[in-house]
Amino acid sequence: MRLDVLKAMNAARRERRAGAVVTRLADGNQRFVEADALAADPLASEIESALRMGRSGAVTAAGEDYFLTVQAPAPRLTLVGAVHISQALAPMARIAGLDVTIIDPRTAFATPERFPETPVLAQWPDEALVAQPLDRFTAICLLTHDPKIDDPALTIALKADCFYIGALGSRKTHARRLERMRGRGFDEPALARIHAPIGLDIGAVSPAEIAVSIMGEIVASLRKKPLRSESAAA
């Protein structure tokens, strides 16, 4: 591997930026293509598909054979709200390979005893998310039903490139949430990124069932949604 390719890979890895090493099999020529620069690459669709699925493999384009070596950071799940749904969702997400963190300033809920295997930050979201910024490989779920806690996190999420934003609450609750976000300057395309009511419509009732519906929606967003934002793809 060429030194410049290796340096580019290592720099991207340190900063949680996704990319792929493209190797032309005919002569071994290589390049490293970052996710943010896909639009300019002739193998943009092939690389995007490989990154979305998290799989390396061979592809053929324009009569040439290539091997794509995918480098993507581990997906993360940030749960805002140390609630019953989080207690069910956190272990499911870990099994699915996501790194989970729970944020809740309410110290009565945000305890290691309630979440023995999950990092819990007893902080306000706008404080906690400074140390762990959201990125395109992060999903965030707003689960407290308390606008004082959820809204600051949602504001940060809508300004980031999270692959999934979900919010708990009824349609009426969500309508009020949208009005508050419009008051903060967000337009309709931005607000359309919010999955609410949260989770797939499977008739879930219990916290565990709701967690299953959320996990399904997160996986679908991770594997099906293009990594590039609409603005970058336009």
Side-chain angles (χ1 to χ4, degrees):
M1 181 177 293
R2 295 201 320 262
L3 183 58
D4 62 325
V5 172
L6 180 60
K7 285 183 176 179
M9 287 179 62
N10 288 338
R13 184 182 294 114
R14 286 193 298 270
E15 299 177 15
R16 280 183 57 85
R17 302 197 312 268
V21 177
V22 180
T23 303
R24 188 165 58 199
L25 297 182
D27 57 10
N29 181 270
Q30 290 184 321
R31 64 183 183 273
F32 181 69
V33 182
E34 290 200 32
D36 287 339
L38 287 183
D41 196 274
L43 295 181
S45 61
E46 290 84 359
I47 297 171
E48 183 171 307
S49 177
L51 288 173
R52 190 167 59 245
M53 298 306 295
R55 292 179 181 174
S56 301
V59 299
T60 299
E64 294 273 10
D65 295 325
Y66 300 87
F67 192 87
L68 306 181
T69 304
V70 168
Q71 176 179 282
R76 297 190 301 202
L77 173 59
T78 298
L79 302 178
V80 178
V83 297
H84 291 312
I85 293 173
S86 298
Q87 288 180 298
L89 182 54
M92 292 181 193
R94 288 198 305 272
I95 291 171
L98 280 72
D99 293 335
V100 186
T101 300
I102 295 171
I103 299 170
D104 197 323
R106 302 170 299 182
T107 54
F109 296 97
T111 66
E113 291 75 21
R114 298 185 70 234
F115 300 92
E117 298 181 27
T118 304
V120 181
L121 304 178
Q123 297 176 293
W124 290 91
D126 48 355
E127 298 171 343
L129 294 177
V130 170
Q132 188 171 304
L134 304 175
D135 58 30
R136 68 172 60 202
F137 282 89
T138 303
I140 185 168
C141 298
L142 313 171
L143 304 172
T144 72
H145 272 307
D146 186 342
K148 295 192 303 296
I149 301 173
D150 285 349
D151 283 8
L154 180 56
T155 299
I156 295 170
L158 288 173
K159 292 178 180 178
D161 197 17
C162 302
F163 74 84
Y164 175 85
I165 302 172
L168 189 67
S170 66
R171 286 179 171 80
K172 289 184 178 179
T173 297
H174 186 53
R176 292 193 294 270
R177 178 188 294 123
L178 293 179
E179 284 305 309
R180 294 194 301 272
M181 291 299 107
R182 290 187 186 102
R184 296 190 180 201
F186 291 104
D187 59 17
E188 297 311 306
L191 298 178
R193 296 173 56 205
I194 306 170
H195 293 262
I198 197 170
L200 300 175
D201 185 6
I202 60 173
V205 176
S206 69
E209 290 175 348
I210 294 170
V212 169
S213 74
I214 295 171
M215 196 64 235
E217 197 167 57
I218 289 172
V219 171
S221 295
L222 176 63
R223 299 307 181 195
K224 292 184 177 181
K225 177 184 175 183
L227 290 173
R228 287 173 288 170
S229 66
E230 290 187 11
S231 59

